[in-house]
Amino acid sequence: MRELTQTVTEALLDPILARDPSGPRITYYDDATGARIELSALTLANWAAKTANLIRDEFGLTAGSRVAVLLPAHWQTAAALLGCWWAGVEVVLAPDEDAELALVPRDRVAEVAEVAEVAVLSLDPMGAPVHDLPVGLTDFATAVRTHGDRFHPGGAGVALAGLPVTEVLDRARASAARQGFTADDRVLSEGSWGTPGELIDGLLAVWSAGSSLVQVVNADPDQRERRRAAERVTMTRVLPG
């Protein structure tokens, strides 16, 4: 019966935390800026707990609420998504006027003008705040740091774009099996997370297998082989096209 009440976050993180809490779980590169950030499962869990507490305690959302997440493939996005699912809310990956909260970068604020609460993420490599935001917008980095790094979930249901928790997890596990991921793999990916399918294949499948992700944005093809060696990559996601 545990599976029926488990959140996506618990299902993904609990086995990893039990097996390898301090090893790298996501390593983020931006080849346009030269940024490299690495987070362990413990660090991800802390960020997720802070985000879940922010969602529940500051924005007043409960399990079943809807959150629009309009963020690119980024380590902050991964942590924010885990926080959303730990809080039991449904994530939608497009502007949604029925959402009660939106998590967006500054350049997409106009797309969520109808949403009651908007938190803006800087997408800075080190998680720096966004300065000089208009009144009514919340700076995610400043707000999230005041919240606790432990969270007690209160339920789970619909998780991602109308899909219940069990179906999201089933799809992630099936994708992991199809792509051949195992708990011993270090997966290099340059894909986006802009649709439910991309998010499941590019992030959730990796973690459902217990693998570690090396996520690259603005990828420089000339860096690929050097990075594969430096990061001890064992699998490379081959993207359509």
Side-chain angles (χ1 to χ4, degrees), residues 121-233:
L121 284 77
S122 67
L123 302 179
D124 177 83
M126 302 303 296
V130 182
H131 298 290
D132 302 320
L133 284 175
V135 174
L137 301 180
T138 298
D139 172 54
F140 178 84
T142 301
V144 80
R145 283 189 170 87
T146 66
H147 290 272
D149 56 10
R150 294 183 181 274
F151 185 75
H152 299 286
V158 175
L160 175 62
L163 300 175
V165 169
T166 51
E167 186 165 349
V168 171
L169 294 173
D170 285 347
R171 291 191 184 194
R173 290 163 184 153
S175 177
R178 185 174 65 250
Q179 297 183 79
F181 300 155
T182 73
D184 295 323
D185 281 320
R186 186 99 156 112
V187 180
L188 174 67
S189 178
E190 298 171 0
S192 67
W193 303 341
T195 68
E198 290 174 343
L199 180 60
I200 289 170
D201 289 342
L203 179 65
L204 306 190
V206 176
W207 286 345
S208 72
S211 307
S212 173
L213 178 65
V214 179
Q215 177 66 38
V216 182
V217 301
N218 300 312
D220 178 357
D222 293 338
Q223 298 291 326
R224 194 172 293 132
E225 289 308 312
R226 180 198 61 79
R227 181 167 296 131
R228 281 176 54 85
E231 297 292 348
R232 300 181 180 178
V233 167

Side-chain angles (χ1 to χ4, degrees), residues 5-30:
T5 58
Q6 198 175 35
T7 66
V8 171
T9 299
E10 292 170 288
L12 294 176
L13 283 188
D14 283 359
I16 296 170
L17 287 166
R19 187 175 69 89
D20 183 16
S22 59
R25 199 48 48 191
I26 182 169
T27 306
Y28 169 82
Y29 279 91
D30 183 346

Side-chain angles (χ1 to χ4, degrees), residues 66-70 99-104 112 115-121:
R66 291 165 67 87
V67 177
V69 178
L70 277 61
E100 289 144 283
L101 170 67
L103 304 178
V104 297
V112 292
V115 178
E117 299 283 359
V118 176
V120 183
L121 284 77

